[in-house]
Amino acid sequence: MYYGEYLKLSQLLSSQSPRSAEIGSPVHDETLFIIVHQAYELWFKQILHELDSIVGLFNADQLSQADLGLVLSRLDRIIKIQKILIDQIEILETMTPMDFLEFRDLLSPASGFQSVQFKLIENKLGLLPESRVKIGNQDYKHHLKPADQAAIKTAEAEKSLFTLVEKWLERTPFLNIEGFHFWESYREAVNKMLAADVERIKSHPTMSPQGISGSLEQYKRIESSYNSLFDAGAYDKLIASGERRLSQKATRAALFILLYRDEPVLQLPHTFLRQLVDIDHNLVSWRNRHALMVFRMIGRKIGTGASSGHEYLKNTVERHYIFQDLTNLSSFIIARSALPKLPTDLRSQLGFYYTDE
Amino acid sequence: MYYGEYLKLSQLLSSQSPRSAEIGSPVHDETLFIIVHQAYELWFKQILHELDSIVGLFNADQLSQADLGLVLSRLDRIIKIQKILIDQIEILETMTPMDFLEFRDLLSPASGFQSVQFKLIENKLGLLPESRVKIGNQDYKHHLKPADQAAIKTAEAEKSLFTLVEKWLERTPFLNIEGFHFWESYREAVNKMLAADVERIKSHPTMSPQGISGSLEQYKRIESSYNSLFDAGAYDKLIASGERRLSQKATRAALFILLYRDEPVLQLPHTFLRQLVDIDHNLVSWRNRHALMVFRMIGRKIGTGASSGHEYLKNTVERHYIFQDLTNLSSFIIARSALPKLPTDLRSQLGFYYTDE
Amino acid sequence: MYYGEYLKLSQLLSSQSPRSAEIGSPVHDETLFIIVHQAYELWFKQILHELDSIVGLFNADQLSQADLGLVLSRLDRIIKIQKILIDQIEILETMTPMDFLEFRDLLSPASGFQSVQFKLIENKLGLLPESRVKIGNQDYKHHLKPADQAAIKTAEAEKSLFTLVEKWLERTPFLNIEGFHFWESYREAVNKMLAADVERIKSHPTMSPQGISGSLEQYKRIESSYNSLFDAGAYDKLIASGERRLSQKATRAALFILLYRDEPVLQLPHTFLRQLVDIDHNLVSWRNRHALMVFRMIGRKIGTGASSGHEYLKNTVERHYIFQDLTNLSSFIIARSALPKLPTDLRSQLGFYYTDE
Amino acid sequence: MYYGEYLKLSQLLSSQSPRSAEIGSPVHDETLFIIVHQAYELWFKQILHELDSIVGLFNADQLSQADLGLVLSRLDRIIKIQKILIDQIEILETMTPMDFLEFRDLLSPASGFQSVQFKLIENKLGLLPESRVKIGNQDYKHHLKPADQAAIKTAEAEKSLFTLVEKWLERTPFLNIEGFHFWESYREAVNKMLAADVERIKSHPTMSPQGISGSLEQYKRIESSYNSLFDAGAYDKLIASGERRLSQKATRAALFILLYRDEPVLQLPHTFLRQLVDIDHNLVSWRNRHALMVFRMIGRKIGTGASSGHEYLKNTVERHYIFQDLTNLSSFIIARSALPKLPTDLRSQLGFYYTDE
């Protein structure tokens, strides 16, 4: 074993071929451009390695708490990698637009949206093909080579993490507990919270009449969204209109976990849901930073591929959310002290003590 | 001199009075809520200290290169503080929504948008009162106490950094150089670059007809925006419609600095323009993170004040840009090698050598 | 409720009195110097707020898993604050040494080591008075005012987190399991691992004879340190010589938790131990960065107080470790696959499943 | 042009061959271990690309201010890459020691110190072969393959950045200015500053007699170090003993730049010197974090190569400094107001104004 051989350095470090050098007028900064993108692809490979293993664990019949611990540590790794992906943009920004323009035309029509691994990451997380922003009115796969299209179609056909998590949530135990009318008590608590807000709005000392009616409008929407959690028909309409994606049953399970996160058996599931939201938000941050960087490089000009450049990237920021339904639950959290007390036998079922025998 | 007295610690560390404790049911996390906001206000004071000194330097008749060096180091300090302001949000997010809801109602109708110092920072940078997002259909000053309103009105009446930078750019020397037809050569270079892009679009191998016509549309807008730089009438219309704010003369000076940034005498001015854009973008990042954090805490519910909460904060992200005109210049940068050569005597006027005598 | 009043801003923002202004020759950067230190003190107050609550929870007769969850979230908060404390140094470094020297003499003999809150943090975590680096051959309390000395003496007399964690570890259940000869199997596994390393050293292809004998020496020390875990007399000697602080029983419990971290009931305890080590390391990073910053400001000159400046700060880096004994356990971790299997009934005692009924 | 082909992804993404998979018992985390190291090597290649270009610019007869601007932007890029290198360690730390031990033995005797690119970076910056910490009493090249040894020997024989900077500093103009007795005035200012400190020590209100004599000792060393700047013989002795490396002439030039950093023509040179120190400190931070990470993984055990592991890495932290002589100058900075005024004609020679004609 030798360091350079173990890491296949001769192969790795000969993978940089600046186009500008090939045509005889080398541009110093093209090396940076290549290496930054290669560093991204290495990390994408690592993220896929983790995602595949996580999807595998969820595909099993049963996910033990020990396995969930493993899932958490691998998602945590993905989150840490995402932070590096975001921070790395700053390195690319040390290249000036003037230097980029020196070799930009040589790259056409290659483009960053042709990164197969990045598309796979999105697909495996659960981004739906129909939710994707089109590129020049065409499906995102249109601009890829057949082999790459095939790889992506395979991933599209597989169960995504989103789907598996939905199933996992739906089979959560503890939700229908005899003698514990959780949802009734909880609805009461939410109604009280919302009513207090509405009262506060109506009697606001400095708000204008329009301000007040606007805020009351806002609360009608919250209430209606909230009521759909208990009304299968209303929920189905939201699903049909695309406002919701996660099933009603799974959403209620997620809400239960968020509310009773302190119960020992729910601590890991809660951390897990939070990680999914973190990964989503990190993707948003990455897209925002990426769009900004592109704007600094080329302004409103098109990308080297067929996309509209900055405009396209900005659109993906809001449209490519995956776990939005989980994020949206924050409207329905209530104060800890307003939380319906769990029945004693359920609590003890959920708890354990780490103390002297 | 004694450490604690120098820093007035008895005063500083007795400034935390949780409301929940005052009413007899202390919530552990309210202390965090207070201290995070106080840390923000301390840093805001520091930013104002720097901004005031910078505005003072620009208000002087003449800004020497040494003074510009000072301006750069103080803007750099502001930028570093901004990064801490953004990162600090993560500390506040260790508070759960359930814990926040425990004392949230006690704060009403106080609200973060009542931070006078933050409004002053925006005003001194150059945010116009008419550009601000309204709160419940009312001016942002409406929800403040008279003394605070007065302080803000004073700042609104003063020359902002934006205005002073505009004047400074307008009096840039070197712009009308006898015998050097810079703008003509430059226009030619830009036209060539845009024409090449248009050609590339028309002959794109995988783009659909709609994609192509969309992209060509995009280029018409770029060209029209670009032509306004040389057409006073067209430019005035953009000013009138609110699409532009920076004067044509100042914009052209900024563009010249961006293009000839490597010339010794323009290195500091270039860094300066970049810092202004960085400060703008850091404000955007801060607003995005802030809006996200608020969503995690209260979802779509209103804020403790009269604002719509997350919705209001999201709106400020895009609307409260200040140096957008500088950012937008990136569409008109050309490759370094396409840059018109400066006449020798101008170059030597701009340059100096740090070598052996 | 009004934002400025809730946060006591008039009090907070009037706590900055630069000495240079008081004597009539204001130095611009002294404001920064004051505000940075005040931001530190605000965060120190927050850390103390969390530490006091954690110590309170550990002082109780029994620490439930739910309480442990609370401890974890508060330690996580401290860790996030520590990161800000480290990053903030960069803001102070925007002040040049030349500007600092402009007002440095006015501060004498006040000094950063007079920060009572920082000393309290160290004491409450568990730093022993006798372990502290002396300042000019004197106890660290010598340079404080009587009231501050008293506050610190009180903290020194209280049970620290170190002591409470030691007790908590000592009462860990599961350690003496009938029919499971854990330590025997584990010793065997460690011996095998160390023996393999020794073999590897002896047959190393490129190492010199001196290199080999040096490495073998190193392994003798590891083995002797390791054996002390099973030999009360040897362990006591290490305690007496100051090489160890944590009791043998607590150390063994910590080791068990590190090894079986994946078992559901040990996941939180493991995270907890890791957080203690993280806090220690963050303190080390902070001290390193602080010492470096001071060197950049004043070089090898003394501090404004009585300390030797950079030299003093460097010494505290290695001497003020608190949870070193936990860090040191990493020498005795073995491969996951070499871990003795837990008996089935113990596993099921430690585990639970989050699955369908 | 196609994204995947431009970046040679098939080559890049087939460069990961976990040994554990090859021997038929794949360990999930070995992929991470490989990819992290490959990301490092990619960045090392980029750093070398920048270093080579910088060394090339300094090797030229004359370095124009425009070239110096280029050097600054490339050093800035290296600094930003270094930050990523440091932060990346956190990703590797998501691997547990237990998982690492699962495949560690398969790597022996490969080792991280066999990274040729990292050695080249150190050599090109200016680390001297004789300053390097030995590995098992042997030269660091001993454990490398002949081709790698040759590459390193070539770099050792080239002029390093240290050497070139030294020459560049030595030919700084402005140092011997007729009629301006800079060094005399400056020595006076330094002596005054040191004398004031000594006075402050002697009359310190709370310091013990030993503390006082220790501090006075410290000042004798500072003064003697300082006096050597003006005494060729004394300076030569410091060079001979290894306490200094940078020539007296270059050191004085660097000091002049540090002191008059605000003069327009010295702003870039000053930033340059600061960057060199930053790069040095980032290497120190990287080494510290690296050593800590290794300790967490294997404790006091040896590395997979022949090094003593953590111990070896800790030793390189303090021994592998390169621009220490520049860092050390901070002891001799004086307050801005104590700085000898430059003669008018020299100031105007150093300055220029960016104002109206």
Side-chain angles (χ1 to χ4, degrees), chain A residues 99 101-102 104 136 142-143 197 200 206 208 218 278 295-296 300-301 308 330-331 333 336-337, chain B residues 99 101-102 104 136 142-143 197 200 206 208 218-219 278 295-296 300-301 308 330-331 333 336-337:
Chain A
D99 290 308
L101 290 171
E102 215 62 88
R104 163 179 171 259
H142 179 75
H143 304 281
D197 275 15
R200 198 148 56 81
T206 56
S208 71
Q218 186 176 340
D278 282 343
F295 194 87
R296 284 183 160 200
R300 300 193 189 287
K301 296 200 285 286
S308 58
S330 58
S331 300
I333 301 297
R336 194 179 297 276
S337 58
Chain B
D99 290 309
L101 290 172
E102 215 62 87
R104 164 181 170 258
H142 178 76
H143 304 282
D197 275 15
R200 198 147 57 80
T206 56
S208 71
Q218 186 177 341
Y219 269 73
D278 282 343
F295 194 86
R296 284 184 159 200
R300 301 194 189 287
K301 297 200 285 285
S308 59
S330 56
S331 299
I333 300 297
R336 194 178 299 275
S337 59

